[in-house]
Amino acid sequence: MTLKSYFQFSKAQRSGIFTLLSICVSLQLAYCFIEFSSEETPSNESQEWLSLQSQIDSIKQIQQEARPKIFPFNPNFISDFKGYKLGMSVAEIDRLLAYRKTNKYVNSASEFQQVTKVSDSLLRTIAPYFKFPDWVTRKKEFQLYSKIPFYKKEKIIVLDINEAKTEDLINVFGIGESLSARILKEKEKFGGFVSMEQMNDIWGLSSEVIENLNKYFNVSGLTKVRKISINDASVKELSQFPYFRYALAKSIVTYRSMNGDIKNAKDLLKINGFPVEKVNIIALYLDF
């Protein structure tokens, strides 16, 4: 059989081949132009969920935006409300407040956990926002240096606190720029300090810092302190003195008018509303 015989078809065979080709072409065209996928009609329940989806998304967005942002803070001054927002329990907050009432401070995240007994997970969340004063870090550095065998103790030179400048105060361990500025502002308010006990009235000075101040400073004289004539000053003049409120200034003037001149500190104690615990300091500011 020759190769040519394979390409010789009868009329019936040629008709069959043509029909087969027509069917193949028709199927290809149908596949290209006819959409066979059927659209599934969602149920009523699905339609309700789809209609609520935008509202759900907006509520989620509002909740995310409403989350309170945490800023760096000193954990020693956490209030009840602040502790609640941080996720602390009432018992944990009470432990911290009780510890602070003893005039003690926590100086690290681990010490905060020891005092409050907060969980490890909560500590990991809030500890990155703890911000301790500069002197805490400086204290740790000082402790490291103090362990060096050849460390020589600094010779202390005591200065008059009323002559101290910013750089003198910053040299004291525990005093930074903000605390030195606060001390100098307090000195200007009174016109000068009359006692180192007045350091206890300055906000932010811990007992340790006050102890260090007493090592380096004292009050050597009162010649530069502005004094008030207690028997001649008017109500307005008396009320401008930081230790006197307006009501107390009126009581002093009333006492003078009814009893005569105030002669000494003992007479001050007879005045209604006079701060008894500060009478010895206040008397140093007065001319009798």
Side-chain angles (χ1 to χ4, degrees):
M1 182 178 292
T2 62
L3 182 62
K4 184 179 180 180
S5 62
Y6 287 99
F7 296 95
Q8 293 178 348
F9 303 101
S10 64
K11 185 177 180 181
Q13 289 174 334
R14 288 195 297 270
S15 299
I17 292 172
F18 179 77
T19 303
L20 179 61
L21 290 174
S22 300
I23 294 172
C24 290
V25 172
S26 300
L27 290 175
Q28 288 292 332
L29 293 173
Y31 179 77
C32 293
F33 296 103
I34 299 177
E35 179 65 40
F36 292 98
S37 59
S38 60
E39 295 184 359
E40 182 181 353
T41 303
S43 62
N44 293 333
E45 185 177 356
S46 299
Q47 289 179 344
E48 291 180 1
W49 277 109
L50 289 173
S51 64
L52 294 174
Q53 187 61 46
S54 60
Q55 298 180 21
I56 294 172
D57 293 340
S58 63
I59 292 173
K60 288 182 179 179
Q61 181 67 25
I62 293 172
Q63 289 177 342
Q64 290 177 355
E65 294 175 354
R67 289 179 181 175
K69 295 181 180 179
I70 303 177
F71 298 95
F73 63 93
N74 188 333
N76 288 290
F77 302 104
I78 292 177
S79 61
D80 289 335
F81 181 66
K82 177 74 172 179
Y84 168 77
K85 290 200 300 181
L86 292 173
M88 296 175 63
S89 66
V90 175
E92 292 166 349
I93 299 171
D94 288 344
R95 292 189 194 102
L96 177 63
L97 296 178
Y99 183 78
R100 286 289 294 109
K101 285 182 179 179
T102 63
N103 201 27
K104 296 180 180 179
Y105 294 82
V106 294
N107 297 321
S108 65
S110 58
E111 191 174 351
F112 177 81
Q113 187 179 34
Q114 291 175 4
V115 172
T116 60
K117 311 298 182 187
V118 297
S119 64
D120 292 339
S121 59
L122 179 58
L123 185 68
R124 283 194 298 269
T125 302
I126 64 178
Y129 300 98
F130 286 177
K131 183 179 181 181
F132 296 101
D134 294 339
W135 69 266
V136 174
T137 306
R138 292 172 59 188
K139 178 180 178 181
K140 293 178 181 178
E141 295 174 354
F142 175 80
Q143 289 173 343
L144 290 175
Y145 285 116
S146 65
K147 295 179 181 179
I148 300 176
F150 300 102
Y151 173 74
K152 294 181 68 176
K153 189 174 181 180
E154 177 188 4
K155 184 179 179 181
I156 297 177
I157 300 176
V158 180
L159 302 175
D160 187 342
I161 189 69
N162 290 313
E163 301 294 333
K165 299 179 181 178
T166 301
E167 53 269 24
D168 299 322
L169 294 169
I170 291 179
N171 287 332
V172 178
F173 174 72
I175 300 291
E177 291 185 2
S178 60
L179 286 180
S180 64
R182 200 173 297 164
I183 293 171
L184 294 176
K185 184 178 180 180
E186 190 78 1
K187 183 188 72 174
E188 292 299 323
K189 183 172 69 174
F190 284 96
F193 294 116
V194 296
S195 171
M196 289 301 292
E197 291 183 18
Q198 291 175 277
M199 300 300 107
N200 295 305
D201 299 331
I202 300 176
W203 181 84
L205 297 184
S206 65
S207 57
E208 184 178 6
V209 173
I210 293 174
E211 183 180 350
N212 290 334
L213 278 171
N214 281 296
K215 291 178 183 178
Y216 289 92
F217 298 99
N218 62 14
V219 177
S220 59
L222 304 178
T223 55
K224 295 184 179 181
V225 175
R226 297 194 300 267
K227 292 198 173 186
I228 302 172
S229 178
I230 190 66
N231 292 305
D232 298 323
S234 64
V235 173
K236 182 179 180 180
E237 291 171 334
L238 291 171
S239 62
Q240 291 174 349
F241 182 54
Y243 283 127
F244 292 162
R245 301 183 305 276
Y246 181 78
L248 179 57
K250 288 184 64 176
S251 297
I252 293 172
V253 173
T254 301
Y255 179 87
R256 284 185 341 212
S257 63
M258 296 179 63
N259 301 278
D261 288 348
I262 300 171
K263 299 179 178 61
N264 49 44
K266 289 184 179 180
D267 286 344
L268 295 174
L269 298 177
K270 301 174 185 178
I271 299 172
N272 184 34
F274 199 89
V276 177
E277 70 281 359
K278 297 187 183 298
V279 64
N280 293 327
I281 293 176
I282 293 174
L284 295 175
Y285 285 103
L286 305 178
D287 269 334
F288 295 98

